[in-house]
Amino acid sequence: MTLTPEGTLDVDPLLDDPQTRIVVCCGSGGVGKTTTAAALGLRAAERGRKVVVLTIDPARRLAQSMGIDSLDNTPRRVKDFDDSAGGELHAMMLDMKRTFDEIVEAHADEERAKAILNNPFYQSLSAGFAGTQEYMAMEKLGQLRSRDEWDLIVVDTPPSRSALDFLDAPQRLGSFLDGKLIRLLMAPAKIGGRAGMKFLNVGMSMMTGTLGKLLGGQLLRDVQTFVAAMDTTFGGFRTRADATYKLLQAPGTAFLVVAAPERDALREAAYFVERLAAEKMPLAGLVLNRVHGSGASRLSAERALAAAENLDERRIVDQTGGKEEGRATPEAPPESSSEAPFEASPETSEADPTAEPGIEQLTAGLLRLHAERMQMVAREQRTRDRFTALHPEVAVTEVAALPGDVHDLAGLRDIGERLAAGGTPAGA
């Protein structure tokens, strides 16, 4: 199946559309989401938009490729790119704990915020609770969008087992904060005064005794202190999460699924496509990354292998004939000459494995390399065809595999141009 023009994703109209305010790059790990997000951000900025790229990738590759020493929770302006169209480019890397701290500081008075930030249970929760990173990515996206400072926000999703975990994180964290245990721990603080203390001492004595044995008395006290201090902010978590979730469903948002042309990666991509459809999230299309091609595609793998075998057979026949002829008519050296010519013995007439290969041997090797390349191209094409047969409604753009890693703005610009081209350039 060959992709038709109608089935090809054109990223430039998407990036140029002033109604597009958020682009979310999602996909399984190791498929190039961070590079794709950075390339899209750079291309949009050089076409005149004010862009911020939010990455959750801790490898700091984005900072290096954009010429920034380091990224943190504050957007940093990228310099030395083509801003002749009036665009701006900013980049930042999510600091999960700092984002959580900002939420506390924004929704609690100074004394209560200090109590929460210094609470050992809060410090553990903000640093590593399951789903915290994904939830904070949602929070940060909501913060950036509410500031209305940028024309376009490009999001590189967290490198978690499922790249759509950030869709589930608000519900998971909300369920935790609204859970029975938390509500029970909050009850004494809500009742307050002597009644609350009486409830804690009598009504909760059995539960706290059991939890104290399981968790330790100090941890239980830390949890209760944290819950009491956070009581006024619990409702805000779910409210903001719901608002950001609706923002992701809005027409101004576009999801791009990034995948490599491999079976497992495209199977994950199919899952993402189906999940986004189920969640009514606007899918712009699929970016098929690191696609291989050949400038000599008319020479099939089968013909290349056959030609290589023919060259090998000719070389073997020529070597054998030469050895037999040499052995049948050896030249006798002059009897008394210090300048007697060297006579090749039967051993030295054998092919020397350390000798430099001849032109036929080199040609055969190149033909075999070409055959391997064409087999890879065919395998990737079959994998793409299976995906497009299952999801013909999904527009696709391809990015040719590069000979090396992207490490600067020029490399990101090249990726952006390939994204916009909608297919693999010939000879890539």
Side-chain angles (χ1 to χ4, degrees):
M1 180 185 297
T2 303
L3 293 174
T4 63
E6 292 76 14
T8 300
L9 172 65
D10 190 350
V11 300
D12 282 348
L14 178 70
L15 298 178
D16 293 344
D17 186 353
Q19 300 301 316
T20 304
R21 304 298 302 275
I22 298 172
V23 173
V24 181
C25 296
C26 59
S28 55
V31 296
K33 293 193 302 295
T34 300
T35 302
T36 300
L40 288 169
L42 175 62
R43 188 166 184 84
E46 291 189 333
R47 295 173 70 85
R49 303 199 70 184
K50 190 175 182 181
V51 185
V52 60
V53 179
L54 169 63
T55 183
I56 297 92
D57 188 345
R60 302 184 185 278
R61 290 171 296 176
L62 180 60
Q64 295 171 357
S65 63
M66 290 187 167
I68 302 174
D69 292 335
S70 63
L71 293 177
D72 55 21
N73 219 39
T74 302
R76 306 289 178 185
R77 187 163 183 171
V78 178
K79 302 177 181 178
D80 301 326
F81 77 99
D82 183 4
D83 58 358
S84 58
E88 292 182 15
L89 181 59
H90 304 251
M92 61 184 297
M93 185 177 72
L94 177 73
D95 184 329
M96 177 179 66
K97 188 177 188 312
R98 182 59 204 145
T99 301
F100 211 148
D101 292 350
E102 289 172 356
I103 297 169
V104 172
E105 292 166 352
H107 295 88
D109 57 59
E110 185 176 352
E111 184 177 351
R112 181 166 291 191
K114 184 177 180 180
I116 295 171
L117 297 177
N118 292 333
N119 183 276
F121 180 73
Y122 166 78
Q123 293 173 357
S124 176
L125 174 70
S126 61
F129 186 78
T132 303
Q133 184 185 48
E134 290 80 4
Y135 179 84
M136 291 307 147
M138 294 276 282
E139 281 277 356
K140 182 55 68 177
L141 173 58
Q143 291 175 11
L144 292 172
R145 184 66 183 86
S146 65
R147 288 161 63 177
D148 206 26
E149 187 175 344
W150 293 276
D151 298 337
L152 179 66
I153 303 168
V154 183
V155 183
D156 165 34
T157 53
S160 51
R161 182 178 178 273
S162 171
L164 291 180
D165 277 352
F166 71 97
L167 295 179
D168 297 322
Q171 182 178 359
R172 286 204 308 269
L173 193 58
S175 298
F176 167 75
L177 296 176
D178 290 341
K180 292 181 179 179
L181 173 60
I182 293 295
R183 290 202 304 269
L184 197 57
L185 290 172
M186 286 173 61
K190 285 187 173 182
I191 294 174
R194 294 182 179 180
M197 290 304 297
K198 183 178 181 180
F199 180 87
L200 177 62
N201 292 333
V202 178
M204 295 185 66
S205 58
M206 184 176 296
M207 187 201 74
T208 54
T210 303
L211 286 175
K213 290 178 182 178
L214 291 173
L215 305 177
Q218 183 59 50
L219 176 57
L220 181 59
R221 286 190 292 274
D222 291 339
V223 173
Q224 290 173 328
T225 304
F226 164 76
V227 169
M230 285 286 285
D231 182 22
T232 59
T233 69
F234 276 170
F237 277 93
R238 185 172 289 279
T239 300
R240 290 189 303 276
D242 290 343
T244 305
Y245 196 82
K246 290 178 181 177
L247 184 65
L248 292 175
Q249 293 176 316
T253 299
F255 281 82
L256 287 174
V257 177
V258 184
E262 300 165 1
R263 185 178 59 182
D264 291 344
L266 279 173
R267 185 185 295 122
E268 284 286 298
Y271 162 72
F272 298 147
V273 167
E274 293 162 6
R275 173 69 192 281
L276 289 169
E279 300 287 342
K280 295 182 173 59
M281 301 288 178
L283 173 65
L286 171 74
V287 174
L288 202 56
N289 206 9
R290 301 169 188 162
V291 176
H292 294 88
S294 173
S297 56
R298 282 194 273 180
L299 177 59
S300 68
E302 293 76 11
R303 290 177 59 196
L305 286 174
E309 289 173 3
N310 287 336
L311 286 173
D312 284 342
E313 288 175 2
R314 280 179 51 189
R315 185 165 54 85
I316 292 170
V317 169
D318 289 345
Q319 286 179 348
T320 303
K323 285 193 293 183
E324 290 175 352
E325 184 178 351
R327 289 176 183 174
T329 57
E331 286 190 17
E335 292 183 0
S336 59
S337 172
S338 60
E339 298 180 359
F342 172 76
E343 177 188 2
S345 66
E347 290 76 19
T348 59
S349 66
E350 297 284 349
D352 185 355
T354 63
E356 292 186 6
I359 185 65
E360 290 185 351
Q361 189 174 355
L362 284 172
T363 303
L366 290 173
L367 285 167
R368 286 193 169 85
L369 284 175
H370 175 75
E372 291 178 4
R373 177 84 170 196
M374 293 305 297
Q375 288 168 349
M376 179 187 297
V377 170
R379 185 168 60 250
E380 291 180 356
Q381 183 65 53
R382 289 193 299 271
T383 307
R384 287 197 298 273
D385 290 349
R386 282 194 292 269
F387 176 87
T388 53
L390 289 171
H391 298 283
E393 78 285 359
V394 178
V396 180
T397 186
E398 299 179 6
V399 179
L402 299 178
D405 293 332
V406 175
H407 53 78
D408 55 18
L409 288 175
L412 291 177
R413 189 174 294 110
D414 185 15
I415 292 290
E417 291 172 356
R418 291 166 187 258
L419 280 164
T424 305

